């Protein structure tokens, strides 16, 4: 009979993140060995493709390594922070892929037409009108719309960037779009 305890000690995620922040590569390896299969499962549930999920996991571990110093134990558990990094990395990858597909579809559709759908002077006039109308919006509404429709940010990401309540961001986008529709008319 051995004197070993019947249970293994709990993995210390916080200490491991702190070691990553200090540049200890072995800490990142221990973290991967401890959580890798679970984190791959999170990524796989989001992107639904094994190879893509593995790429996401790789990118997420790079993010964990480079951002470990930003972990703040007063804001939540280390394990939750790690899973959040993987989740955000997977969602960002999925969002980027959707943008690539949409842009590719638009280009194919334009290539199928023999005549341009919009003549260059009309297109420039429309852009000028849009720019004028955007200029009439408050800074908060304009920034919210640009973050959402140009940068592809979620409402939550916009709220974080603007350091504003989520409900305010949603209202700014809704009211800003209504004002743009009326202005462009």
């Amino acid at each position: 009979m051995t004197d070993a305890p019947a249970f293994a000690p709990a993995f210390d995620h916080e200490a491991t993140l702190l070691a990553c922040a200090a540049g200890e590569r072995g800490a990142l390896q221990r973290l991967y060995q401890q959580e890798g299969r679970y984190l791959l499962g999170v990524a796989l549930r989001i992107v639904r493709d094994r190879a893509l999920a593995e790429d996401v996991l790789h990118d997420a571990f790079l993010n964990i390594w480079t951002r470990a110093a930003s972990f703040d134990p007063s804001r939540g558990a280390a394990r939750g922070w790690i899973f959040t990094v993987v989740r955000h990395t997977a969602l960002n990858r999925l969002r980027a892929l959707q943008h690539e597909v949409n842009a590719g579809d638009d280009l194919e559709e334009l290539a199928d037409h023999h005549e341009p759908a919009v003549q260059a002077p009309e297109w420039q006039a429309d852009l000028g009108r849009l720019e004028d109308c955007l200029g009439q919006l408050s800074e908060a509404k304009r920034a919210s719309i640009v973050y959402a429709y140009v940068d592809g940010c979620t409402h939550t990401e916009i709220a974080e960037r603007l350091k504003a309540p989520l409900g305010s961001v949603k209202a700014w986008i809704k009211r800003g779009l209504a004002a743009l529709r009326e202005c462009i008319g």
Side-chain angles (χ1 to χ4, degrees):
M1 191 160 160
T2 64
D3 292 331
F7 62 93
F11 186 82
D12 190 345
H13 292 84
E14 187 174 324
T16 305
L17 275 180
L18 293 173
C20 286
E24 185 186 320
R25 292 178 189 223
L28 190 66
Q29 183 178 4
R30 289 190 304 275
L31 182 61
Y32 180 81
Q33 289 170 344
Q34 177 69 28
E35 297 292 347
R37 65 183 176 271
Y38 305 113
L39 296 171
L40 180 62
V42 169
L44 190 55
R45 278 193 300 276
I46 294 170
V47 300
R48 302 203 181 275
D49 176 82
R50 176 76 183 210
L52 186 56
E54 290 172 356
D55 287 345
V56 164
L57 187 61
H58 176 265
D59 291 348
F61 268 89
L62 287 175
N63 287 336
I64 290 167
W65 176 253
T66 58
R67 295 178 45 218
S70 70
F71 168 68
D72 180 2
S74 69
R75 296 186 67 199
R79 188 167 191 251
W81 184 88
I82 293 163
F83 275 74
T84 299
V85 169
V86 173
R87 181 178 176 275
H88 283 278
T89 304
L91 290 171
N92 288 340
R93 178 68 62 92
L94 197 59
R95 202 173 300 125
L97 287 173
Q98 288 171 343
H99 283 277
E100 287 175 18
V101 169
N102 291 340
D105 291 347
D106 292 343
L107 292 174
E108 287 175 20
E109 182 180 323
L110 287 174
D112 288 343
H113 295 289
H114 296 292
E115 294 182 32
V118 178
Q119 300 298 325
E122 292 175 32
W123 183 67
Q124 289 174 344
D126 288 343
L127 281 180
R129 219 171 27 243
L130 176 61
E131 189 175 344
D132 290 343
C133 292
L134 277 170
Q136 294 175 18
L137 296 177
S138 70
E139 178 61 32
K141 289 177 187 172
R142 182 174 48 253
S144 296
I145 289 171
V146 169
Y147 284 145
Y149 292 96
V150 176
D151 294 346
C153 295
T154 64
H155 291 138
T156 303
E157 291 168 337
I158 296 166
E160 289 171 1
R161 285 185 181 192
L162 296 177
K163 297 184 181 4
L166 182 60
S168 296
V169 167
K170 290 179 180 181
W172 292 335
I173 291 172
K174 182 178 179 179
R175 291 179 189 138
L177 288 174
L180 285 177
R181 280 188 206 98
E182 185 176 317
C183 178
I184 291 173

